[in-house]
Amino acid sequence: MSDRVAAIVPAAGRGERLGGSIPKALRPLAGRSLVQHAVETLILAALVDEVVVAAPAAELDAFTKLLGPGVRVIAGGAERIDSVRAAIAVLDETVGVVLVHDAARPLTPPGLVDAVASAVLAGAPAVIPVLAVNDTIKEVDATGRVVRTVPRDVLRAVQTPQGFRRDILDEAYRLGETLPDGVMITDDAGLVEALGVPVTTVPGSQEAFKVTRPADLVFAEALLARRD
Ligand code: CTP
Ligand code: MG
């Protein structure tokens, strides 16, 4: 396996839960856009050799200007899975390891990126960062009535970057095209699981949280202010 590491950044979402009139990845946080923060983390990571960003098709020029000549910007697709697939398609064949990292996780520490990449370089086919779940989790039926309480000690909340051997990710995305409708795949590792390949975990980071709703941006601003 080649030890060349590429990072893919799905950034083509609209940010409907965050609201606002511009795409989420372009939303400012402490003077720079979310996607700039996310890409800077990847560039600061020691093990990342190249970065490909999947942007909204209408914003290719804006993203290219913001991110500079060292970052490849391509058009994403209608769903996150389409954006990641489009980015995988432009990777050079010399890339041996692929990280997939949400633009919406602007404060992810570079050390977490390197922890994921080094686990893949050390031989793991698929690696994800995870955190223990703080809240009690319950299963409910369609009416909202509780069916049961799920044992929390075996649950983990999953973050990005997720890291993969390149051949495994390619195969997982090929399989993804053939999955029947209704199969719920909400992250890249889910496709690898469907392939039957083992997925292993590394400790995630509180700071790798995803900006999803308005309060997350407030939290991100506060964390950044404390860092400086
Ligand atoms: N993403 C993408 N292409 C899409 C949809 C999502 O590249 N068609 C990216 C987002 O830009 C984001 C990441 O996938 O960086 C995680 O998705 P999410 O947090 O759901 O972002 P949005 O889809 O933009 O938000 P929402 O679901 O609230 O509209
Ligand atoms: Mg979304």
Side-chain angles (χ1 to χ4, degrees):
M1 176 184 83
S2 141
D3 62 2
R4 186 166 178 82
V5 178
I8 285 175
V9 182
R14 301 185 17 201
E16 274 168 14
R17 286 167 293 179
L18 187 60
S21 54
I22 61 171
K24 182 160 79 175
L26 294 178
R27 283 290 283 273
L29 168 63
R32 287 183 310 141
S33 60
L34 294 185
V35 67
Q36 282 174 289
H37 285 281
V39 166
E40 182 186 60
T41 289
L42 295 166
I43 288 169
L44 287 174
L47 295 173
V48 172
D49 297 304
E50 62 185 77
V51 179
V52 179
V53 173
E59 306 283 351
L60 292 186
D61 288 347
F63 274 65
T64 305
K65 267 201 205 94
L66 274 180
L67 298 171
V71 175
R72 182 146 181 205
V73 177
I74 57 132
E79 304 289 340
R80 185 182 182 283
I81 193 171
D82 305 310
S83 298
V84 174
R85 181 179 282 115
I88 291 173
V90 305
L91 293 178
D92 193 84
E93 62 187 19
T94 59
V95 169
V97 174
V98 182
L99 309 182
V100 184
H101 183 48
D102 294 328
R105 299 181 189 269
L107 301 191
T108 305
L112 180 62
V113 178
D114 281 331
V116 170
S118 66
V120 180
L121 289 166
V127 177
I128 60 175
V130 297
L131 290 179
V133 175
N134 295 326
D135 294 319
T136 295
I137 308 279
K138 294 189 193 289
E139 183 183 332
V140 295
D141 66 18
T143 71
R145 181 185 170 127
V146 171
V147 176
R148 64 184 180 118
T149 302
V150 185
R152 193 169 61 185
D153 52 331
V154 295
L155 296 180
R156 297 293 180 271
V158 176
Q159 304 179 318
T160 76
Q162 300 191 347
F164 306 93
R165 241 171 56 196
R166 198 265 176 83
D167 57 338
I168 298 290
L169 190 64
D170 282 348
E171 203 182 332
Y173 267 79
R174 273 198 298 275
L175 171 82
E177 310 230 33
T178 68
L179 285 176
D181 285 353
V183 178
M184 265 284 262
I185 302 274
T186 52
D187 69 344
D188 306 289
L191 287 173
V192 173
E193 290 157 39
L195 208 59
V197 170
V199 177
T200 51
T201 63
V202 296
S205 163
Q206 293 293 340
E207 301 202 329
F209 69 94
K210 184 158 70 71
V211 172
T212 305
R213 296 175 192 280
D216 300 322
L217 261 187
V218 178
F219 180 51
E221 292 275 1
L223 274 180
L224 265 183
R226 198 188 60 179
R227 265 190 198 171
D228 298 337

